[in-house]
Amino acid sequence: MRAARLIKMVLLLQSRPSMTAAELARELEVSERTVTRDAQALSEAGVPVYADRGRIGGYRLVGGYRTRLTGLARGEAEALFLSGVPGALREMGLEDAASAARLKVSAALLPSLRDASHTAAQRFHLDAPNWFREPVTPELLPKIADAVWDDRRITARYRRGEHDVERELEPYGLVLKAGVWYLCARVAGDGSFRVYRIDRFTAVAADGERFGREPDFDLPAFWEEQAEKFARSILRAEVVVRLSAEGVRRLPHAVDPLSAREALARAGEPDGDDGRMTVTLPVESEEVAHEQLTALGAEVEVLAPASLRERFAAEAVRLAELYGR
């Protein structure tokens, strides 16, 4: 355990000019006293760790000291080769660069670990697109990816309804969601962050000017927040239903998971001898609710609105006639 921590400490100091004891303690999840002891142990082992004293002091490596990747365990090496998504890299035009990087990492590993890329590929494969939909790579994706990696502003035209809109954007990051590519960008001028579907871009031009990134921008956190806002924004209606225990279990698989989670959290205990539970469910529309709740069959009874209940009743009559024959 301590050996792994010492290796991590050396790698942290390699990646930064200097780190305080507090910063190292936070990264290593130990006390500052332990950091001091670890630095002393590294120094005694021949690793040139130097401590600068004073208010702005810290730890650093002397003389450009570097360590090779021979400290990787097999599990760590295999996880490293899982970090790339081959299909996504290919679509962004980065397949050659990724291949070269993997070769360099393989060359730096111990001989006993050089089959890590092969063993990882045998055990894990990411198939991002949805079923029953042919994935299409947006034509402008490589150009947008170049701008993202190089922090260069782009002038983009994209379809919004029946019209094309032009914006000057600062492209912060790319997200691949269920086979669909999205760009998270800051709008030059007003500073707001927005999400764009890349297959709706009709033209992209990089103006060559670099932009300064906000250092605290967190792409995964931003995407999670935007995805939840979108999910909430389309739930504009409500329906009241009674669910059997089996209906409660199957509800998150039939409707939007966010909708099901919030509805069940607000619901009370079963309210009848039959053990059914009354739930108020946020939905996109009555039509969508009908399509989704049909999958639950007799495990759900619609109470309101009356028009939706009538729709289910009429369909039940048609089904009875169909199967009664």
Side-chain angles (χ1 to χ4, degrees):
M1 190 73 177
R2 190 189 184 196
R5 190 175 72 241
L6 292 174
I7 292 172
K8 184 175 180 181
M9 183 173 179
V10 173
L11 294 174
L12 284 169
L13 293 174
Q14 278 187 191
S15 65
R16 306 177 194 179
S18 176
M19 293 184 71
T20 66
E23 290 171 337
L24 284 167
R26 186 167 55 252
E27 291 282 352
L28 299 171
E29 298 181 349
V30 295
S31 67
E32 293 186 32
R33 186 184 297 272
T34 299
V35 169
T36 301
R37 288 198 299 264
D38 286 352
Q40 180 65 31
L42 287 171
S43 180
E44 292 173 357
V47 178
V49 177
Y50 180 78
D52 290 316
R53 306 297 178 185
R55 185 173 58 84
I56 58 173
Y59 292 92
R60 60 186 176 87
L61 293 175
V62 179
Y65 176 85
R66 309 292 294 177
T67 182
R68 291 170 60 84
L69 292 175
T70 49
L72 285 176
R74 169 164 291 278
E76 294 169 332
E78 290 173 347
L80 178 65
F81 285 102
L82 289 180
S83 63
V85 184
L89 292 170
R90 183 172 56 252
E91 291 181 8
M92 288 189 291
L94 298 174
E95 185 177 27
D96 291 343
S99 177
R102 285 193 293 269
L103 287 173
K104 290 177 181 179
V105 171
S106 295
L109 292 172
L110 288 170
S112 61
L113 298 180
R114 287 178 186 165
D115 66 340
S117 62
H118 178 66
T119 58
Q122 285 180 322
R123 290 164 175 78
F124 180 81
H125 172 67
L126 177 64
D127 184 9
N130 277 333
W131 288 102
F132 315 120
R133 186 173 67 189
E134 188 70 23
V136 177
T137 302
E139 182 180 350
L140 296 171
L141 176 61
K143 183 179 290 188
I144 294 173
D146 284 345
V148 169
W149 289 115
D150 209 22
D151 292 342
R152 292 190 181 275
R153 284 195 180 96
I154 60 173
T155 301
R157 294 183 63 82
Y158 65 96
R159 295 188 304 276
R160 190 169 71 182
E162 299 179 355
H163 306 285
D164 275 11
V165 177
E166 186 170 290
R167 290 283 186 273
E168 186 178 359
L169 303 175
E170 297 174 352
Y172 264 63
L174 296 167
V175 175
L176 178 60
K177 168 72 171 177
V180 180
W181 284 95
Y182 295 87
L183 172 67
C184 302
R186 183 169 61 184
V187 180
D190 67 13
S192 63
F193 284 90
R194 301 182 188 179
V195 176
Y196 301 88
R197 274 186 62 146
I198 292 181
D199 58 7
R200 293 179 181 165
F201 282 90
T202 58
V204 171
D207 61 11
E209 181 182 351
R210 283 192 169 89
F211 63 89
R213 282 178 167 264
E214 291 190 10
D216 296 332
F217 180 79
D218 184 332
L219 180 60
F222 172 76
W223 174 258
E224 183 178 357
E225 179 185 356
Q226 294 301 306
E228 184 168 329
K229 282 183 180 179
F230 174 75
R232 292 182 187 280
S233 71
I234 63 174
L235 301 175
R236 303 186 183 94
E238 287 186 341
V239 300
V240 181
V241 299
R242 282 174 58 77
L243 296 164
S244 67
E246 177 64 12
V248 170
R249 186 187 71 80
R250 289 165 50 187
L251 185 66
H253 305 287
V255 304
D256 180 85
L258 174 67
S259 171
R261 187 167 62 248
E262 293 190 348
L264 294 175
R266 293 195 303 264
E269 297 296 321
D271 52 12
D273 295 336
D274 57 0
R276 289 191 171 239
M277 177 188 296
T278 300
V279 172
T280 300
L281 186 68
V283 295
E284 184 174 345
S285 66
E286 185 174 311
E287 291 73 18
V288 172
H290 177 258
E291 179 182 343
Q292 293 175 336
L293 294 174
T294 297
L296 297 180
E299 308 302 330
V300 62
E301 177 190 2
V302 174
L303 302 181
S307 55
L308 181 58
R309 182 179 175 88
E310 290 167 2
R311 185 183 297 212
F312 272 91
E315 184 166 333
V317 170
R318 290 196 300 271
L319 287 171
E321 292 175 349
L322 177 64
Y323 289 98
R325 292 198 293 267

